[in-house]
Amino acid sequence: MDERSKKYIIDQKSDFQSDLGIINQEDLANAKIGQTLTTHLGKKFKVIKPSVNDFIELMDRRCSILIQKDIGTIISKCGIGSGSRIVDAGTGAGAIALNFGNIVGECGKVYSYEIREDFAEVAKSNIEKFGLDNIIEIKNKDIKEGIEENEIDLVFLDLMKPYEIFEDVYSCLNTGGYLAVYAPYIDQIETSYKIAKKIGFIDLSIIETLEREIEVRNQGTRPKTRMVGHSGYLMFGRKI
Amino acid sequence: MDERSKKYIIDQKSDFQSDLGIINQEDLANAKIGQTLTTHLGKKFKVIKPSVNDFIELMDRRCSILIQKDIGTIISKCGIGSGSRIVDAGTGAGAIALNFGNIVGECGKVYSYEIREDFAEVAKSNIEKFGLDNIIEIKNKDIKEGIEENEIDLVFLDLMKPYEIFEDVYSCLNTGGYLAVYAPYIDQIETSYKIAKKIGFIDLSIIETLEREIEVRNQGTRPKTRMVGHSGYLMFGRKI
Amino acid sequence: MDERSKKYIIDQKSDFQSDLGIINQEDLANAKIGQTLTTHLGKKFKVIKPSVNDFIELMDRRCSILIQKDIGTIISKCGIGSGSRIVDAGTGAGAIALNFGNIVGECGKVYSYEIREDFAEVAKSNIEKFGLDNIIEIKNKDIKEGIEENEIDLVFLDLMKPYEIFEDVYSCLNTGGYLAVYAPYIDQIETSYKIAKKIGFIDLSIIETLEREIEVRNQGTRPKTRMVGHSGYLMFGRKI
Amino acid sequence: MDERSKKYIIDQKSDFQSDLGIINQEDLANAKIGQTLTTHLGKKFKVIKPSVNDFIELMDRRCSILIQKDIGTIISKCGIGSGSRIVDAGTGAGAIALNFGNIVGECGKVYSYEIREDFAEVAKSNIEKFGLDNIIEIKNKDIKEGIEENEIDLVFLDLMKPYEIFEDVYSCLNTGGYLAVYAPYIDQIETSYKIAKKIGFIDLSIIETLEREIEVRNQGTRPKTRMVGHSGYLMFGRKI
């Protein structure tokens, strides 16, 4: 991070060049978290331990990204953790897959289906840069043609008609595993609910979350004037 | 889980006894996820892969538990994942620590401070039962006397006056690490914000999340009549 | 209002009897707002100027009452005031009609359709007691058989299938007049929107309002733990 | 309203001129609601019965206007109607006073205090144009120097430190009358609550309302992406 609070992702194998000057490769290779590096122009850069959110903020995004609050809800509702096995579709730029990969770690696995080749390429590149390519597998396939994995703990779907593959989802899940669906329209989520119920998913629930920011100003404290009114509905079901 | 959807945590070292009959120890020891076991009364039990939420639902709770939606928000906002190092206070029954432990896994660590001995004992017992005692360390200490760890990625505080230890929190964090505060009263969060700002935390934000359930009935679809209006505010800050 | 903050509606033509004693008719007939009356047992009663809400709180209610927040929204969105002419269906216990009648006053008029005879009787009785029977006309008729009024400023519908009579609503409205629909289910409101659009209503909008209470306690200030998550959606349209 | 849905307030004493042509004074003087007038250029204008909201939308606004949803809540919570007597401060451009005036009608009265002369002038002009100058009295005075009216049903305050005049408010109210306070900051409303309680107001409550719009699109139905997160808190109290 530079003196203007702008963040950078650094490749430690070559010199770093910016409008504030150059830091040579040797300094970068030896840099430790918390250390301050100085460019040949005397400008200072701080080495920070990046979080998955820093990375997603900086990465190549070609399509809209499911907002953070919904990711948190999915993770906590489904009890996802280190070692979990997750199937995710559609990948998009890979933001959700990165969040999942960051959590399941080396003992877990994320299989992410994306039908569009261009999105799949972007996602692959993003995941390699963050060093999670051994954990996350991007599959440039139509998930409607079949889920090739099994013993899955969570299947997360962000598709136009998620309910078309619920039977297949049911088959690939562990007993106790979860289905999570994200959909912006109430009609999509209503149909999803009815089909999931018919197939036999239990503990079905639909939720929406509203996140509001609070401002502390000199005059006093108050919620912000503008907020996000809707991202999408989330539906959850469980296989027993 | 029995035929009435009631869940049980099973100790595989002895026979399981319930009002629906007995399952002998041998069957339990060999049980696999998804299998159905039958009691001597012919009642059926399904073996499910438990999620951390199943466990928290069933465990010994002597104090109120921070609700799920806030846990998800903390995890996603702070980019916590496999391998993260977390300090948490106060522990209570250990629900938050269990959630964190489930995510950081074997490569990570959770240090959980609880001043009350009775709570610390309950939490220790809960954590052993879930098998996370190698990951989560319950410390029966007053966190105000000092944080003994360092290179921490997240300090989460659920205390009456969290701001009393913000200097100490700052010291123990990695560059790039997060402070997260949960507080039910606006006054607590306002003071926290002002002190965190003075100490030098950046990216300060305060949020509240509202979660609303949607019902799909035969007559139509609608949000539920009653909802939780407030659990607490969350404040986030980052060390750079 | 007695010493326990319990409110009463008094008939000034006879003695008032309660468990706190008797106030004789003469005292009641001469009572002025703000005065304190004393029973033969020495208990005190305060004479307050009743608001329409006091009355609705005390009146005979045989069916659920649309909650206050939605009434306020309808009045302000449709610019209803003294002198407005309103059609309302179904009446129920007459709470909505009373609110409208209280606002339109002697220069205005409220026509309230109720298909069920028992509800219509309750509503009539309630309206007489509050003295608005010259302003509000309760009609024990099925509004689907036709709206008999015209030059109406607002038609408010709280019916299962409000859209069945939108053509008739359009005919009876003033140019510039409003249609307002209350419906608990999203499916009802979606259909209403599509049909209203087809018929030619303009400025169509659908809203929902969430009302949250804040508590000031000694420990601090915070929103209440429980709140109403949903009463109904409101749809508005205008005839031009 | 012209063919582009643009609205105009017409002075019937002279010709109306616009970029779509001229309508002569004689036509305007005889125009009836619902009629279509044609300019010398052949463009059509529809005569609509204006609501108070049309007027507020078009009037001269020099300062921010309390949003509609809060006005509705105040009216319904305080049971305001035809004939009510209201004190209001500060006036601003007069939007709130216009809303109140529209409701209390000829039998009621609104006294609106505004300390700034320029605002008071704008408000006076707006109220004359809407023809409510016999109902609403704009007073270019500091309300802190005393409320000159009595037997008031509602005092509405939108001031920086509303609590400074609560004693005076209490004196001017009818027994059964209401105090309503609008304030954007939680600190203002907290202080208001404590002082109102000390003075003896009963039925104290603080609320905030969130209004969310729903969109019906071809793809489906959903809440809008953006919404207003906060306008202000409302505090209510009652004199008994």
Side-chain angles (χ1 to χ4, degrees):
Chain A
M1 181 184 283
D2 70 21
E3 296 168 3
R4 303 161 302 191
S5 289
K6 190 175 163 192
K7 298 174 201 163
Y8 302 84
I9 301 169
I10 302 298
D11 174 3
Q12 291 175 312
K13 293 175 209 132
S14 55
D15 290 358
F16 167 72
Q17 310 205 8
S18 78
D19 60 331
L20 300 179
I22 296 167
I23 301 173
N24 66 52
Q25 187 270 332
E26 200 174 345
D27 286 354
L28 290 173
N30 298 321
K32 292 202 180 89
I33 287 161
Q35 203 181 325
T36 301
L37 304 180
T38 309
T39 68
H40 78 292
L41 297 176
K43 298 293 180 182
K44 292 191 170 110
F45 283 70
K46 191 103 181 182
V47 182
I48 73 174
K49 185 172 172 183
S51 84
V52 67
N53 294 326
D54 292 324
F55 187 77
I56 291 170
E57 193 185 323
L58 295 171
M59 79 187 193
D60 184 0
R61 289 181 273 188
R62 301 234 180 115
C63 45
S64 72
I65 284 180
L66 186 75
I67 67 173
Q68 232 173 18
K69 68 181 174 67
D70 295 309
I71 298 174
T73 305
I74 295 161
I75 290 163
S76 66
K77 290 265 174 196
C78 303
I80 292 311
S82 177
S84 296
R85 289 168 53 78
I86 298 175
V87 164
D88 149 42
T91 311
I96 286 278
L98 270 167
N99 271 280
F100 287 147
N102 185 50
I103 282 170
V104 305
E106 304 274 329
C107 317
K109 194 85 192 175
V110 178
Y111 305 93
S112 190
Y113 288 77
E114 172 58 55
I115 193 169
R116 284 183 55 171
E117 197 178 343
D118 53 344
F119 284 175
E121 285 310 308
V122 170
K124 264 183 205 171
S125 157
N126 281 330
I127 279 148
E128 265 173 47
K129 277 188 205 145
F130 197 59
L132 292 182
D133 43 331
N134 56 334
I135 296 170
I136 304 167
E137 184 180 333
I138 304 292
K139 307 178 78 160
N140 183 200
K141 286 188 179 176
D142 185 354
I143 196 169
K144 285 182 202 162
E145 290 169 10
I147 299 175
E148 299 163 330
E149 293 73 27
N150 47 47
E151 295 184 27
I152 295 299
D153 298 306
L154 166 66
V155 175
F156 170 72
L157 303 177
D158 176 10
L159 302 170
M160 282 292 287
K161 300 184 177 179
Y163 38 82
E164 292 180 339
I165 59 163
F166 281 3
E167 299 241 20
D168 214 22
V169 167
Y170 198 87
S171 304
C172 84
L173 284 175
N174 273 322
T175 305
Y178 288 87
L179 161 66
V181 169
Y182 170 87
Y185 295 104
I186 189 73
D187 323 69
Q188 293 170 292
I189 217 79
E190 198 176 336
T191 307
S192 294
Y193 186 93
K194 287 173 180 169
I195 291 179
K197 196 174 177 183
K198 196 180 288 174
I199 287 173
F201 282 98
I202 67 155
D203 289 350
L204 285 172
S205 67
I206 301 171
I207 62 160
E208 57 172 344
T209 55
L210 289 168
E211 192 175 291
R212 191 155 70 143
E213 274 190 81
I214 314 293
E215 290 178 316
V216 177
R217 301 188 192 171
N218 287 335
Q219 311 100 295
T221 297
R222 48 167 290 171
K224 280 201 178 165
T225 301
R226 302 289 303 172
M227 66 182 275
V228 173
H230 185 70
S231 54
Y233 298 100
L234 291 171
M235 191 201 73
F236 298 97
R238 201 172 183 193
K239 174 180 175 178
I240 300 291
Chain B
M1 181 186 282
D2 69 23
E3 298 168 1
R4 300 162 303 192
S5 287
K6 191 176 161 189
K7 298 172 200 165
Y8 303 85
I9 300 169
I10 303 297
D11 175 2
Q12 291 174 312
K13 292 175 210 133
S14 55
D15 290 359
F16 167 71
Q17 311 205 8
S18 79
D19 61 330
L20 299 178
I22 296 168
I23 302 173
N24 66 50
Q25 187 269 332
E26 202 175 340
D27 286 355
L28 290 172
N30 298 322
K32 291 202 180 91
I33 287 161
Q35 202 181 327
T36 303
L37 303 180
T38 311
T39 68
H40 76 293
L41 298 176
K43 297 293 180 182
K44 293 190 170 109
F45 282 72
K46 191 102 180 182
V47 182
I48 73 175
K49 185 173 174 183
S51 84
V52 66
N53 295 325
D54 292 322
F55 188 78
I56 291 170
E57 193 185 323
L58 295 171
M59 79 185 194
D60 183 1
R61 290 182 271 188
R62 301 232 181 117
C63 44
S64 71
I65 283 180
L66 186 75
I67 66 173
Q68 231 172 20
K69 68 182 174 67
D70 295 310
I71 298 176
T73 305
I74 294 160
I75 291 164
S76 66
K77 289 265 175 197
C78 302
I80 292 311
S82 178
S84 295
R85 290 169 52 79
I86 298 176
V87 164
D88 150 40
T91 311
I96 286 279
L98 271 166
N99 272 282
F100 287 148
N102 184 52
I103 283 171
V104 305
E106 304 274 329
C107 317
K109 194 84 191 174
V110 178
Y111 305 93
S112 189
Y113 288 75
E114 173 58 55
I115 193 170
R116 285 182 54 171
E117 198 179 341
D118 53 345
F119 284 175
E121 285 310 309
V122 170
K124 264 182 204 171
S125 159
N126 281 330
I127 279 149
E128 265 173 47
K129 276 186 207 148
F130 197 60
L132 292 183
D133 42 330
N134 56 333
I135 296 169
I136 304 167
E137 184 180 335
I138 304 292
K139 308 179 79 162
N140 183 201
K141 287 190 179 174
D142 184 355
I143 195 169
K144 285 182 202 163
E145 288 170 10
I147 299 174
E148 298 162 332
E149 293 74 27
N150 47 49
E151 294 183 30
I152 295 298
D153 298 305
L154 165 66
V155 175
F156 171 71
L157 303 177
D158 176 10
L159 302 170
M160 282 291 289
K161 299 184 178 178
Y163 39 82
E164 291 179 342
I165 59 163
F166 281 2
E167 300 242 17
D168 215 21
V169 168
Y170 198 87
S171 304
C172 84
L173 285 175
N174 273 324
T175 304
Y178 288 88
L179 161 65
V181 168
Y182 170 87
Y185 295 105
I186 189 72
D187 323 68
Q188 293 171 291
I189 217 78
E190 197 175 337
T191 306
S192 293
Y193 185 94
K194 287 174 180 168
I195 290 179
K197 195 173 178 184
K198 197 181 288 176
I199 287 173
F201 282 98
I202 67 155
D203 289 349
L204 285 173
S205 67
I206 300 171
I207 62 160
E208 58 172 342
T209 55
L210 288 167
E211 192 176 290
R212 192 155 71 142
E213 274 189 80
I214 314 292
E215 290 178 315
V216 178
R217 302 187 192 172
N218 288 335
Q219 310 100 295
T221 297
R222 49 167 289 171
K224 281 200 177 165
T225 302
R226 303 287 304 171
M227 66 182 274
V228 173
H230 184 69
S231 54
Y233 297 100
L234 291 171
M235 191 201 75
F236 297 97
R238 201 172 185 191
K239 174 181 174 177
I240 301 290
Chain C
M1 182 185 284
D2 70 21
E3 297 168 1
R4 302 161 304 192
S5 287
K6 191 177 160 188
K7 297 172 199 164
Y8 303 85
I9 300 169
I10 302 298
D11 174 5
Q12 291 175 313
K13 294 175 208 132
S14 55
D15 291 358
F16 167 71
Q17 309 204 10
S18 79
D19 61 329
L20 299 179
I22 296 167
I23 302 174
N24 65 52
Q25 186 270 333
E26 201 175 341
D27 286 356
L28 290 172
N30 298 321
K32 292 200 181 94
I33 287 161
Q35 203 181 326
T36 302
L37 304 179
T38 310
T39 69
H40 78 292
L41 297 176
K43 296 294 180 182
K44 292 189 170 110
F45 282 71
K46 191 103 181 182
V47 183
I48 72 173
K49 183 171 175 186
S51 84
V52 67
N53 295 325
D54 292 323
F55 187 78
I56 291 170
E57 192 185 323
L58 295 171
M59 78 185 193
D60 184 359
R61 288 182 273 186
R62 299 232 183 117
C63 45
S64 72
I65 284 180
L66 187 74
I67 68 172
Q68 230 173 21
K69 67 182 176 66
D70 294 310
I71 299 175
T73 305
I74 295 161
I75 292 164
S76 67
K77 288 265 174 197
C78 302
I80 293 310
S82 178
S84 295
R85 290 168 52 78
I86 298 176
V87 165
D88 151 40
T91 311
I96 285 279
L98 271 167
N99 272 281
F100 287 148
N102 185 51
I103 283 170
V104 304
E106 304 274 330
C107 317
K109 194 85 192 175
V110 178
Y111 305 93
S112 189
Y113 288 75
E114 172 57 55
I115 193 169
R116 285 183 54 170
E117 198 179 343
D118 53 343
F119 284 175
E121 285 310 307
V122 170
K124 264 183 204 169
S125 157
N126 282 330
I127 279 149
E128 264 172 47
K129 277 187 206 146
F130 197 61
L132 291 183
D133 42 331
N134 56 333
I135 296 169
I136 304 168
E137 184 180 334
I138 304 292
K139 308 179 79 160
N140 183 200
K141 287 189 179 173
D142 184 354
I143 196 168
K144 284 181 204 164
E145 290 169 10
I147 300 175
E148 298 162 331
E149 292 74 27
N150 48 48
E151 294 184 31
I152 295 299
D153 298 306
L154 165 66
V155 175
F156 171 72
L157 303 176
D158 177 10
L159 302 170
M160 282 292 289
K161 298 184 177 177
Y163 38 83
E164 291 180 340
I165 59 164
F166 281 2
E167 299 241 19
D168 215 22
V169 167
Y170 198 87
S171 302
C172 84
L173 284 175
N174 274 322
T175 304
Y178 288 87
L179 160 66
V181 169
Y182 170 87
Y185 295 104
I186 188 73
D187 322 68
Q188 293 170 292
I189 217 76
E190 198 176 335
T191 306
S192 294
Y193 185 94
K194 287 174 180 169
I195 291 179
K197 196 173 177 184
K198 197 181 290 177
I199 287 173
F201 283 98
I202 68 155
D203 288 351
L204 285 172
S205 66
I206 301 171
I207 62 159
E208 60 173 342
T209 55
L210 289 168
E211 192 176 290
R212 192 155 70 142
E213 275 190 81
I214 314 291
E215 291 178 315
V216 177
R217 302 188 191 171
N218 288 335
Q219 310 99 294
T221 296
R222 48 167 289 169
K224 280 200 177 165
T225 301
R226 302 288 303 172
M227 67 182 274
V228 173
H230 185 67
S231 54
Y233 297 100
L234 292 170
M235 191 201 74
F236 297 97
R238 201 172 184 191
K239 175 181 173 177
I240 301 291
Chain D
M1 181 185 284
D2 69 22
E3 297 167 2
R4 302 161 302 192
S5 289
K6 190 176 162 189
K7 299 173 200 163
Y8 303 84
I9 300 169
I10 303 298
D11 175 3
Q12 291 175 310
K13 293 176 209 131
S14 56
D15 291 358
F16 167 72
Q17 311 204 8
S18 78
D19 60 332
L20 299 179
I22 296 168
I23 302 174
N24 66 51
Q25 187 271 332
E26 202 174 342
D27 287 353
L28 289 173
N30 297 321
K32 291 201 181 92
I33 287 160
Q35 204 180 323
T36 301
L37 303 180
T38 310
T39 67
H40 78 293
L41 297 177
K43 296 293 179 183
K44 294 192 169 107
F45 282 70
K46 190 104 181 180
V47 182
I48 72 173
K49 185 173 172 185
S51 84
V52 66
N53 294 326
D54 291 323
F55 188 78
I56 291 170
E57 193 186 322
L58 295 171
M59 79 186 194
D60 184 359
R61 289 181 272 186
R62 301 235 180 114
C63 45
S64 73
I65 284 180
L66 186 73
I67 66 173
Q68 234 173 14
K69 69 183 174 67
D70 294 310
I71 298 174
T73 305
I74 295 161
I75 291 164
S76 66
K77 289 264 174 198
C78 302
I80 292 311
S82 177
S84 296
R85 290 169 52 77
I86 298 175
V87 165
D88 150 40
T91 311
I96 285 280
L98 270 166
N99 271 281
F100 287 147
N102 185 51
I103 282 171
V104 304
E106 304 274 330
C107 317
K109 194 85 193 175
V110 177
Y111 305 93
S112 189
Y113 288 75
E114 173 57 55
I115 194 170
R116 284 182 55 170
E117 198 179 342
D118 53 345
F119 284 174
E121 286 310 310
V122 171
K124 264 183 203 170
S125 158
N126 281 331
I127 278 149
E128 265 174 45
K129 276 185 207 148
F130 197 60
L132 292 182
D133 42 332
N134 56 335
I135 296 169
I136 304 167
E137 185 180 332
I138 303 293
K139 307 178 78 161
N140 183 201
K141 286 188 177 174
D142 184 354
I143 196 170
K144 284 182 204 162
E145 289 170 11
I147 299 174
E148 298 162 330
E149 293 74 27
N150 48 49
E151 294 183 30
I152 295 299
D153 297 307
L154 166 65
V155 175
F156 171 72
L157 303 177
D158 176 11
L159 302 170
M160 282 292 288
K161 299 183 177 179
Y163 39 82
E164 290 180 339
I165 60 163
F166 281 2
E167 300 241 19
D168 214 21
V169 168
Y170 198 87
S171 304
C172 85
L173 284 176
N174 273 323
T175 305
Y178 288 87
L179 161 66
V181 169
Y182 170 86
Y185 295 104
I186 188 72
D187 323 69
Q188 294 171 292
I189 217 78
E190 196 175 338
T191 306
S192 293
Y193 186 94
K194 287 174 179 169
I195 291 179
K197 196 173 178 184
K198 197 180 287 175
I199 287 173
F201 283 97
I202 68 155
D203 289 349
L204 285 172
S205 67
I206 301 170
I207 62 160
E208 58 172 342
T209 55
L210 289 168
E211 192 175 291
R212 191 157 70 144
E213 275 190 80
I214 313 292
E215 291 178 315
V216 178
R217 302 188 193 171
N218 288 335
Q219 310 100 296
T221 297
R222 48 166 291 169
K224 280 201 178 165
T225 301
R226 301 290 302 175
M227 66 182 275
V228 173
H230 185 69
S231 54
Y233 298 100
L234 291 171
M235 191 201 74
F236 298 97
R238 201 171 183 192
K239 174 181 175 177
I240 303 288

